[in-house]
Amino acid sequence: MIHYVAKRLLLMIPTLLGILLLTFTVIQFVPGGPVEQMVSELRGKGHGSQEAGGGGQSFYRGQQGIDAERMAEIKALYGFDKPAPERFWIMLKGFATFDLGTSFFHQKSVWELIKEKMPVSISLGLWTLVITYLVSVPVGIAKAVREGSRFDTATSFLILSGYAIPSFVLGVVLLVLFGGGSFLQWFPLRGLTSDNWEQLSLVGKVTDYLWHITLPVFAEVVGAFAVITMLTKNTFIEEIRKQYVLTARAKGLPERAVLYRHIFRNALLPLLTGFPAAFIGAFFTGSLLIETLFSLDGLGLLSYNAIMQRDYPVVMGMLFIFTLAGLFAKLVSDVSYVLADPRVKFEGVGQ
């Protein structure tokens, strides 16, 4: 096990470097970077000062553009006075010590920005994960046991209908129906807490938080039920049809004992191995559309704004953290699979 884990950890290094290098290279060819944005802003101010009578100092020189000294200062401000390979190496040295740099536009450390936005993403991710597993696994087992029944047909229709509805569309419907739209005003429109949250009691804080998180979480989980439910059903059906189950029934064991003593452990292996990755992903997953719709300032919205604003330290810093978390989640999933099923050998995992 130690040899396998060490091997996987070493393989993470070239994988991570390759992803960072590819993204960094693409960024170099994307127009509209921070230098271009600053130049455009200065040009606008230059035109404005000329129209107003030339008052104030302007670094814009008409058709000559920005003077060379000022352009050099702008490039140095954003670190673009160095060649691309040197900038990439400086970035890697910072990432090695988990120094993700400073945002161009927020004037804050990227770590600070991630820590500020993460509570929103954790709230959405963990609640979605917990509710999805608590509902989908029992329903999937019930569907497998009652395969072909009316219950199986009805639940399949419901969960597949929910899966077909985009979470953003469902969120709009929920706001119209229950968020003060054309019908009822049972839930708030924005934020995770009320403005007076600090003055509330402990019970009041918990109630207020749950009151705010209900609609966005509901919009997220409805579409997530289908995958886990159908996976649970199919794995249980596959195990039910195996020879050892027929042998257990032939020995006279009650159906409940056959299900929970023999089938349950083997059938849950795919779910158990996928849970660590889903759990880690819940801390970093940000849904842009849901966060925008419900005015939740989380990681999804931060990532989108960073890309649109060409805030490269935020883009690369979040890519580094997300990629590292994903690689570790995959390793944990593979190790948990081997621990859950001793028949699986490390040499064959992840290949």
Coordinates of all heavy atoms in Angstrom, one line a residue, residues 9-52:
L9 N 1.5 9.6 -5.5 CA 1.8 10.9 -5.2 C 2.9 11.5 -6.1 O 2.8 12.7 -6.5 CB 2.4 11.0 -3.7 CG 1.3 10.7 -2.6 CD1 2.0 10.6 -1.3 CD2 0.2 11.8 -2.6
L10 N 3.8 10.7 -6.5 CA 4.9 11.2 -7.4 C 4.3 11.5 -8.8 O 4.7 12.4 -9.5 CB 6.0 10.1 -7.6 CG 6.9 10.0 -6.3 CD1 7.9 8.8 -6.5 CD2 7.6 11.3 -6.0
L11 N 3.3 10.7 -9.2 CA 2.7 10.9 -10.5 C 1.8 12.2 -10.5 O 1.5 12.7 -11.6 CB 1.8 9.7 -10.9 CG 2.5 8.4 -11.3 CD1 1.6 7.3 -11.5 CD2 3.3 8.7 -12.6
M12 N 1.4 12.6 -9.3 CA 0.6 13.9 -9.3 C 1.4 15.1 -9.7 O 0.9 16.0 -10.3 CB 0.1 14.1 -7.8 CG -1.0 13.2 -7.4 SD -1.5 13.6 -5.7 CE -2.6 12.3 -5.4
I13 N 2.7 15.0 -9.5 CA 3.6 16.2 -9.8 C 3.6 16.5 -11.3 O 3.2 17.7 -11.7 CB 5.0 16.0 -9.3 CG1 5.0 15.8 -7.8 CG2 5.9 17.1 -9.7 CD1 6.3 15.5 -7.2
P14 N 3.9 15.6 -12.2 CA 3.8 15.9 -13.6 C 2.4 16.2 -14.1 O 2.2 17.0 -15.0 CB 4.4 14.7 -14.3 CG 4.3 13.6 -13.3 CD 4.4 14.2 -12.0
T15 N 1.4 15.5 -13.5 CA 0.0 15.8 -13.9 C -0.3 17.3 -13.6 O -0.9 18.0 -14.4 CB -0.9 14.9 -13.2 OG1 -0.6 13.5 -13.5 CG2 -2.3 15.1 -13.6
L16 N 0.0 17.7 -12.4 CA -0.3 19.0 -11.9 C 0.5 20.1 -12.8 O -0.1 21.1 -13.2 CB 0.0 19.2 -10.4 CG -0.3 20.5 -9.8 CD1 -1.8 20.8 -9.9 CD2 0.2 20.5 -8.3
L17 N 1.7 19.8 -13.0 CA 2.6 20.7 -13.8 C 2.0 20.8 -15.2 O 2.0 21.9 -15.8 CB 4.0 20.2 -13.8 CG 4.8 20.4 -12.5 CD1 6.2 19.8 -12.7 CD2 4.9 21.8 -12.1
G18 N 1.6 19.7 -15.8 CA 1.1 19.7 -17.2 C -0.2 20.6 -17.3 O -0.3 21.4 -18.2
I19 N -1.1 20.4 -16.3 CA -2.3 21.2 -16.3 C -2.0 22.7 -16.1 O -2.6 23.6 -16.9 CB -3.3 20.7 -15.2 CG1 -3.7 19.3 -15.5 CG2 -4.5 21.7 -15.0 CD1 -4.5 18.7 -14.4
L20 N -1.1 23.0 -15.2 CA -0.8 24.4 -15.0 C -0.1 25.0 -16.2 O -0.4 26.2 -16.6 CB 0.1 24.6 -13.8 CG -0.5 24.3 -12.4 CD1 0.5 24.3 -11.3 CD2 -1.7 25.2 -12.1
L21 N 0.8 24.3 -16.8 CA 1.5 24.8 -18.0 C 0.6 25.0 -19.2 O 0.7 26.0 -19.9 CB 2.6 23.8 -18.4 CG 3.4 24.1 -19.6 CD1 4.1 25.5 -19.5 CD2 4.5 23.0 -20.0
L22 N -0.3 24.0 -19.4 CA -1.3 24.2 -20.5 C -2.2 25.4 -20.3 O -2.4 26.2 -21.2 CB -2.1 22.9 -20.6 CG -3.2 22.9 -21.7 CD1 -2.6 23.0 -23.1 CD2 -4.0 21.6 -21.6
T23 N -2.7 25.6 -19.1 CA -3.5 26.7 -18.8 C -2.8 28.0 -18.9 O -3.2 29.0 -19.5 CB -4.2 26.6 -17.4 OG1 -4.8 25.4 -17.3 CG2 -5.1 27.7 -17.2
F24 N -1.5 28.1 -18.4 CA -0.7 29.3 -18.5 C -0.4 29.6 -19.9 O -0.4 30.8 -20.3 CB 0.6 29.0 -17.7 CG 1.5 30.2 -17.6 CD1 1.3 31.2 -16.6 CD2 2.5 30.4 -18.5 CE1 2.1 32.3 -16.6 CE2 3.3 31.5 -18.5 CZ 3.1 32.5 -17.5
T25 N -0.1 28.6 -20.7 CA 0.2 28.9 -22.1 C -1.1 29.5 -22.9 O -0.9 30.4 -23.7 CB 0.6 27.6 -22.8 OG1 1.7 27.1 -22.1 CG2 1.0 27.9 -24.3
V26 N -2.2 28.9 -22.6 CA -3.4 29.4 -23.2 C -3.7 30.9 -22.8 O -4.1 31.7 -23.7 CB -4.6 28.5 -22.9 CG1 -5.9 29.2 -23.4 CG2 -4.5 27.1 -23.5
I27 N -3.4 31.2 -21.6 CA -3.7 32.5 -21.1 C -2.9 33.6 -21.8 O -3.3 34.7 -22.0 CB -3.4 32.6 -19.5 CG1 -4.5 31.9 -18.7 CG2 -3.2 34.0 -19.1 CD1 -4.3 31.9 -17.3
Q28 N -1.6 33.2 -22.2 CA -0.8 34.1 -22.9 C -1.4 34.6 -24.2 O -1.0 35.7 -24.7 CB 0.6 33.5 -23.2 CG 1.3 32.9 -22.0 CD 1.3 33.9 -20.8 OE1 1.7 35.0 -20.9 NE2 0.8 33.4 -19.6
F29 N -2.3 33.9 -24.8 CA -2.9 34.2 -26.1 C -4.3 34.8 -26.0 O -4.9 35.1 -27.0 CB -2.9 33.0 -27.1 CG -1.5 32.4 -27.3 CD1 -1.0 31.4 -26.6 CD2 -0.7 33.0 -28.3 CE1 0.2 30.8 -26.8 CE2 0.6 32.5 -28.5 CZ 1.1 31.4 -27.8
V30 N -4.8 34.9 -24.8 CA -6.1 35.5 -24.6 C -6.0 37.0 -24.6 O -5.3 37.6 -23.8 CB -6.7 35.0 -23.3 CG1 -8.1 35.6 -23.0 CG2 -6.9 33.4 -23.3
P31 N -6.8 37.7 -25.5 CA -6.8 39.1 -25.5 C -7.5 39.7 -24.3 O -8.3 39.0 -23.6 CB -7.5 39.5 -26.8 CG -8.4 38.3 -27.0 CD -7.7 37.1 -26.5
G32 N -7.3 41.0 -24.1 CA -8.0 41.7 -23.0 C -7.5 41.5 -21.7 O -8.3 41.5 -20.7
G33 N -6.2 41.3 -21.5 CA -5.6 41.1 -20.2 C -5.6 42.4 -19.4 O -6.0 43.4 -19.8
P34 N -5.0 42.3 -18.1 CA -5.0 43.5 -17.2 C -4.3 44.7 -17.8 O -4.7 45.8 -17.6 CB -4.4 42.9 -16.0 CG -3.6 41.7 -16.4 CD -4.4 41.1 -17.5
V35 N -3.2 44.5 -18.5 CA -2.5 45.6 -19.1 C -3.3 46.3 -20.2 O -3.5 47.5 -20.2 CB -1.2 45.1 -19.8 CG1 -0.5 46.2 -20.5 CG2 -0.2 44.5 -18.7
E36 N -4.0 45.5 -21.0 CA -4.9 46.1 -22.1 C -6.0 46.8 -21.4 O -6.5 47.9 -21.9 CB -5.4 45.0 -23.0 CG -4.3 44.4 -23.9 CD -3.5 43.3 -23.3 OE1 -3.7 43.1 -22.1 OE2 -2.7 42.7 -24.0
Q37 N -6.6 46.3 -20.3 CA -7.7 46.9 -19.6 C -7.2 48.2 -19.0 O -8.0 49.2 -19.1 CB -8.2 46.0 -18.5 CG -8.9 44.7 -19.1 CD -9.5 43.9 -18.0 OE1 -10.1 44.4 -17.0 NE2 -9.4 42.6 -18.1
M38 N -6.0 48.3 -18.4 CA -5.6 49.5 -17.9 C -5.3 50.6 -19.0 O -5.6 51.8 -18.8 CB -4.3 49.3 -17.1 CG -3.6 50.5 -16.5 SD -4.6 51.3 -15.3 CE -4.4 50.2 -13.9
V39 N -4.7 50.1 -20.1 CA -4.5 51.1 -21.2 C -5.8 51.6 -21.7 O -5.9 52.8 -22.0 CB -3.7 50.3 -22.3 CG1 -3.7 51.2 -23.6 CG2 -2.3 50.0 -21.9
S40 N -6.8 50.7 -21.8 CA -8.1 51.2 -22.3 C -8.7 52.2 -21.3 O -9.3 53.2 -21.8 CB -9.0 50.0 -22.5 OG -10.3 50.4 -22.9
E41 N -8.6 52.0 -20.0 CA -9.1 52.9 -19.0 C -8.4 54.3 -19.1 O -9.0 55.3 -19.0 CB -8.9 52.3 -17.7 CG -9.5 53.2 -16.5 CD -9.3 52.5 -15.2 OE1 -9.0 51.3 -15.1 OE2 -9.6 53.2 -14.2
L42 N -7.1 54.2 -19.3 CA -6.3 55.5 -19.4 C -6.7 56.2 -20.7 O -6.8 57.5 -20.7 CB -4.8 55.2 -19.4 CG -4.3 54.7 -18.0 CD1 -2.8 54.4 -18.2 CD2 -4.5 55.8 -17.0
R43 N -6.9 55.5 -21.7 CA -7.4 56.2 -23.0 C -8.7 56.9 -22.8 O -8.9 58.0 -23.3 CB -7.4 55.1 -24.1 CG -6.1 54.8 -24.7 CD -6.2 53.7 -25.7 NE -4.9 53.3 -26.3 CZ -4.7 52.3 -27.1 NH1 -5.7 51.5 -27.4 NH2 -3.5 52.1 -27.6
G44 N -9.6 56.2 -22.1 CA -10.9 56.8 -21.8 C -10.8 58.0 -21.0 O -11.4 59.1 -21.3
K45 N -9.9 58.0 -20.0 CA -9.7 59.2 -19.2 C -9.0 60.3 -20.0 O -9.3 61.5 -19.8 CB -8.8 58.8 -17.9 CG -9.5 57.9 -16.9 CD -8.6 57.7 -15.7 CE -9.3 56.8 -14.7 NZ -8.4 56.5 -13.5
G46 N -8.1 59.9 -20.9 CA -7.5 60.9 -21.7 C -8.5 61.6 -22.6 O -8.4 62.8 -22.7
H47 N -9.3 60.9 -23.2 CA -10.4 61.5 -24.0 C -11.3 62.4 -23.2 O -11.7 63.4 -23.6 CB -11.2 60.4 -24.8 CG -10.5 59.8 -25.9 ND1 -10.0 60.5 -27.0 CD2 -10.1 58.5 -26.1 CE1 -9.4 59.7 -27.9 NE2 -9.5 58.4 -27.3
G48 N -11.6 61.9 -22.0 CA -12.5 62.6 -21.1 C -11.9 64.0 -20.7 O -12.6 65.0 -20.7
S49 N -10.6 63.9 -20.4 CA -10.0 65.2 -19.9 C -9.9 66.2 -21.1 O -10.0 67.4 -20.9 CB -8.6 64.9 -19.4 OG -7.7 64.3 -20.4
Q50 N -9.7 65.7 -22.3 CA -9.6 66.6 -23.5 C -10.9 67.2 -23.7 O -11.0 68.4 -24.0 CB -9.1 65.8 -24.7 CG -7.7 65.4 -24.6 CD -7.2 64.5 -25.8 OE1 -8.0 64.2 -26.7 NE2 -6.0 64.0 -25.7
E51 N -12.0 66.4 -23.6 CA -13.3 66.9 -23.8 C -13.7 68.0 -22.8 O -14.5 68.9 -23.0 CB -14.3 65.8 -23.9 CG -14.2 64.9 -25.1 CD -15.1 63.7 -25.0 OE1 -15.8 63.6 -24.0 OE2 -15.0 62.8 -25.9
A52 N -13.2 67.8 -21.6 CA -13.5 68.7 -20.5 C -12.6 69.9 -20.5 O -12.7 70.8 -19.6 CB -13.4 68.0 -19.1

